[in-house]
Amino acid sequence: MADSNSLPPRLMGSGFKHFSLLSLASTFVVVVCFSLLVTQLWMTWRAREVRLSEAASASANLAQSVAQHAYDTIKETDTALVGLVERIEQDGISDLELSRIHNLLVMRVAELPQLHGIFVYAKDGSWLVNSQKVLLKNLNNSDREYFKYHKNSSERGPYVGPPVRSKSTGDWIITVSRRINLPDGSFGGVALATIDMKYFKVFYDKFSIGGRGAIFIANGKGILLLRRPFDEEMLGRDISKFPVFKDYLPKGPVGTASIKSKLDGVTRINSYRRIEEYPLVVSAALSQDEILQNWRSDVYIQFMVGGTLVLLISILGYRMVKQINLRSQAEKKLMLASIELELINETLSRLANQDGLTGLANRRHFDESLMGEFNRAQRGETSIGLVMIDVDFFKQYNDIYGHVAGDECLRKIGKMVGYSIRRPGDLAARYGGEEMVVLLPGTDLSGALAVAESIRSAVQSLEIVHSGNPFGVVTVSIGVESFAPIRLESKPVQLVEAADKALYKAKASGRNQVCFASRYTEGDTQKYSSSIEL
């Protein structure tokens, strides 16, 4: 029995080749399966973000609709009160005048469907006149919160009080009131309009907000006026310490945030809006669990399909490896396997030359291309241009909007830089961080400047909002250089250094501009404007 030392060198070499090929094929299958799983995870997470983003837009639109409805409803109600207060203060409260006012109030309540009633109280809280057909006697509203407010405050504006039960009908109502002054400016009573809470409830029930969605209106003090789902025990509750009032409204009157409710513990995508005139705060919220319910179902299906696909690929990969092992001695099969391996390596090499974030060429590919094109320009005595781009205030952009938004910003800019190249020999690459470059073989300074200006204006036209940039949007500064390399004297690094120096000048001169390096003024740089005729 022969041992390994007695095998011919050719067979031993063949065994080593077979082992290498077998290992490579196995590794390839593992990499493909792993890549599929990673891609599936990324796509799944991206789908989740899209669902949440769409829900945020929907809740914002819903909050806007609710706010507009509340504003219009109370505006109509308050308008009726303004005329009523003016009439009483001007014409007094004689029996004849009260009779006329009574007829007017009956007609006004009939015209406005939201109105439950309109009432006028004397300075002692007794009922003077209202919109009811028969005026009830022996009733007094001096104990009501809105009456005490106007009695103790000289403010003449509208006041939206907490929800109460009507003394006349027992219905839940929202009160809008104004102070009535006597001729000497002292307190003379209160004009009150009541809005039937059912009016808001019917309107809110028309919206599709799911089983755990919520809509609420609160007054400026954080007293809950109405909420869907409706619960009488929550009416009039103080929610001023809840996150919307405590954490978010101080930052701005409008916004959207993911908030866990302190009322029922449900996490919702919550859009809120303050109505300053009255004042009111409205909120529309959609349950995050309900939003992601269909997404979770899709995830289960996708992972089942993905798992099946990975399993299938693994089985097929195993069979492929087995076939390679069985036919490794056949010259034809070895040649075919070698060709297949070469194609795979070319694909991996192509991927290795690409920047994963922007889709442009990576730094390594750029360095190789620069060296090759620079040598070609030396031999052919032709010009070579370089455009170096840097995103203005990009650190501030990441600090303000987050790194996810920063990555998306670089993707958009990278796409614009990629669009700027028109010839097969041109190369757009990510140089590092927020810097990008465009290599332009056979291009003089005039042509390179034209390309640079088109990139600068294209990025600015994207109008990516950037509050940390004085221009208000994302902009870029660009440095440009072009010259014909002299053999044995010029080096590629000189082209890069000159473009980088021009870029530094563009940033030092105020950013959002193109500067070029002048090799004829002792290395100084010049500013380029799109208005210069090239």
Side-chain angles (χ1 to χ4, degrees), residues 11 45 130 147 174 250 336 360 453:
L11 291 180
W45 183 256
N130 59 40
F147 190 91
I174 295 175
L336 291 176
L360 303 177
E453 177 57 22

Side-chain angles (χ1 to χ4, degrees), residues 139-214:
L139 291 178
N140 190 289
N141 278 48
S142 61
D143 61 331
R144 291 298 199 185
E145 192 269 350
Y146 56 81
F147 190 91
K148 294 178 181 179
Y149 171 82
H150 289 297
K151 185 176 181 180
N152 298 322
S153 173
S154 60
E155 293 290 333
R156 300 304 307 275
Y159 177 70
V160 180
V164 295
R165 280 193 181 275
S166 170
K167 287 187 176 182
S168 58
T169 64
D171 296 329
W172 279 102
I173 56 175
I174 295 175
T175 61
V176 181
S177 56
R178 279 183 176 266
R179 175 186 168 112
I180 300 174
N181 279 351
L182 295 176
D184 62 357
S186 62
F187 178 65
V190 173
L192 171 74
T194 59
I195 303 175
D196 193 340
M197 201 170 287
K198 293 178 182 177
Y199 178 77
F200 287 103
K201 186 175 183 297
V202 169
F203 178 72
Y204 295 161
D205 287 343
K206 295 178 182 178
F207 291 107
S208 176
I209 60 174
R212 294 186 175 182

Side-chain angles (χ1 to χ4, degrees), residues 31 185 274 304 370 402 415 419 467 524 531:
V31 169
R274 184 190 294 277
M304 287 179 62
L370 175 62
K415 185 178 294 185
Y419 287 158
S467 61
D524 196 9
S531 62

Side-chain angles (χ1 to χ4, degrees), residues 162-272:
V164 295
R165 280 193 181 275
S166 170
K167 287 187 176 182
S168 58
T169 64
D171 296 329
W172 279 102
I173 56 175
I174 295 175
T175 61
V176 181
S177 56
R178 279 183 176 266
R179 175 186 168 112
I180 300 174
N181 279 351
L182 295 176
D184 62 357
S186 62
F187 178 65
V190 173
L192 171 74
T194 59
I195 303 175
D196 193 340
M197 201 170 287
K198 293 178 182 177
Y199 178 77
F200 287 103
K201 186 175 183 297
V202 169
F203 178 72
Y204 295 161
D205 287 343
K206 295 178 182 178
F207 291 107
S208 176
I209 60 174
R212 294 186 175 182
I215 300 173
F216 78 72
I217 299 181
N219 66 14
K221 296 180 180 179
I223 302 301
L224 187 64
L225 303 180
L226 178 64
R227 184 178 186 269
R228 176 187 172 190
F230 183 77
D231 186 350
E232 290 188 7
E233 294 182 358
M234 293 185 180
L235 299 180
R237 183 171 178 178
D238 185 357
I239 60 172
S240 61
K241 302 300 182 182
F242 284 19
V244 168
F245 283 86
K246 182 180 179 181
D247 301 328
Y248 295 98
L249 281 174
K251 299 177 182 178
V254 179
T256 299
S258 179
I259 303 174
K260 185 175 182 179
S261 173
K262 290 190 176 182
L263 291 176
D264 53 19
V266 177
T267 300
R268 296 183 175 92
I269 305 298
N270 194 313
S271 292
Y272 53 89

Side-chain angles (χ1 to χ4, degrees), residues 1 42 125 153 164 199-200 232 249 318 331 342 351 357 374 419 429 456 466 486-487 499:
M1 182 175 180
W42 181 86
S153 173
V164 295
Y199 178 77
F200 287 103
E232 290 188 7
L249 281 174
Y318 171 77
E331 187 68 23
E342 184 178 348
L351 293 175
L357 178 63
F374 200 90
Y419 287 158
R456 187 203 64 77
H466 186 356
I486 301 175
R487 188 173 181 83

Side-chain angles (χ1 to χ4, degrees), residues 301-364:
I301 296 174
Q302 290 172 4
F303 272 96
M304 287 179 62
V305 174
T308 302
L309 181 60
V310 169
L311 179 61
L312 180 61
I313 292 176
S314 300
I315 295 173
L316 293 176
Y318 171 77
R319 292 180 62 85
M320 179 187 70
V321 172
K322 187 176 181 180
Q323 289 298 318
I324 292 175
N325 184 42
L326 293 174
R327 302 177 184 182
S328 60
Q329 300 301 318
E331 187 68 23
K332 184 178 180 179
K333 296 299 180 180
L334 285 174
M335 186 179 297
L336 291 176
S338 177
I339 293 174
E340 181 181 0
L341 182 59
E342 184 178 348
L343 293 175
I344 293 172
N345 286 335
E346 290 178 358
T347 301
L348 294 175
S349 177
R350 189 163 55 251
L351 293 175
N353 288 330
Q354 186 179 53
D355 177 61
L357 178 63
T358 62
L360 303 177
N362 58 19
R363 174 68 180 273
R364 171 183 158 187

